[in-house]
Amino acid sequence: MKEASPAPNQLDLVIDFVNTLDVEEGTDELATPEALATWLAQRGAVESVPHASEADQQQAIRLREALRELMLANNGGPREDEAGHELELVARRGDLRVHFDAGGSIRMAPGAEGVAAGLARLLVPVARAVSDGSWQRVKACRADDCQWAFYDRSRNRSGVWCEMAVCGNRTKVRAYRERTPRADQ
């Protein structure tokens, strides 16, 4: 099977970050401060493995869940003002700045270091995607027992499940069973 092309604006990094919590399996790749620091270093969000505190880990989890809420909103869920506020806090803590380069291009980079910088770097793809409209395609699966983040590649931006064959099928079978009376009743 052919692999899908990467999402624009390096959104795959943000999607991977949200997917560090596997709701269905109950596993969390950010379960400890050390795991957070390692994850950020392995993904290039920081130059070397930083010291991470429990407060850093809790901030990362709040950021992850705020991003998931925004992704669920992109998939028809309610809009949450608190999620945007959380992103703003992370950007400020990481001292996220816009830089104007000599050639006329711009780039965003955190002024802080360590975990705060790594978390702020996760917001750069989000800012770019909001700017060019591709953020609306970043969604979280509607299935309550999944909520896996994905990039909607459908032409009309109508994807609602991470995988139609799994979550879509489960949802449709569940709805069918609710509509259809059982023979043994």
Side-chain angles (χ1 to χ4, degrees):
M1 187 170 127
K2 183 180 166 185
E3 243 183 78
S5 60
N9 299 311
Q10 298 178 326
L11 286 168
D12 289 329
L13 176 64
V14 179
I15 291 167
D16 288 347
F17 179 68
V18 172
N19 289 337
T20 57
L21 175 66
D22 187 328
V23 174
E24 187 174 22
E25 297 292 324
T27 58
D28 188 350
E29 292 180 55
L30 308 180
T32 65
E34 295 78 18
L36 166 64
T38 301
W39 191 94
L40 290 170
Q42 288 175 342
R43 301 312 184 288
V46 291
E47 291 181 21
S48 61
V49 179
H51 168 75
S53 67
E54 285 187 32
D56 291 329
Q57 178 203 16
Q58 292 306 310
Q59 177 74 68
I61 290 169
R62 286 191 305 273
L63 173 61
R64 177 181 66 196
E65 296 314 309
L67 287 165
R68 185 185 319 276
E69 282 184 35
L70 293 171
M71 291 174 182
L72 284 167
N74 286 346
N75 203 356
R79 295 257 174 230
E80 298 292 334
D81 291 338
E82 225 170 278
H85 179 68
E86 190 63 41
L87 271 61
E88 178 69 20
L89 289 174
V90 170
R92 286 179 187 244
R93 185 167 179 239
D95 194 21
L96 193 58
R97 303 174 183 180
V98 175
H99 300 274
F100 296 89
D101 295 328
S105 62
I106 62 167
R107 63 183 170 83
M108 289 178 272
E113 295 182 3
V115 173
L119 295 177
R121 260 191 201 93
L122 292 171
L123 298 178
V124 172
V126 175
R128 288 183 187 143
V130 167
S131 175
D132 73 9
S134 59
W135 177 250
Q136 296 305 313
R137 289 186 176 269
V138 182
K139 300 177 178 181
C141 184
R142 279 191 189 172
D144 290 336
D145 57 346
C146 179
Q147 296 187 351
W148 195 254
F150 67 98
Y151 187 78
D152 180 2
R153 288 179 167 77
S154 66
R155 281 189 187 193
N156 61 358
R157 301 176 184 210
S158 63
V160 294
W161 298 293
C162 60
E163 286 189 46
M164 179 59 192
V166 179
C167 290
N169 188 49
R170 271 192 233 153
T171 302
K172 289 180 177 193
V173 167
R174 201 175 297 132
Y176 173 78
R177 288 183 179 155
E178 288 173 4
R179 286 191 314 266
T180 307
R182 291 178 41 188
D184 61 338
Q185 289 183 352

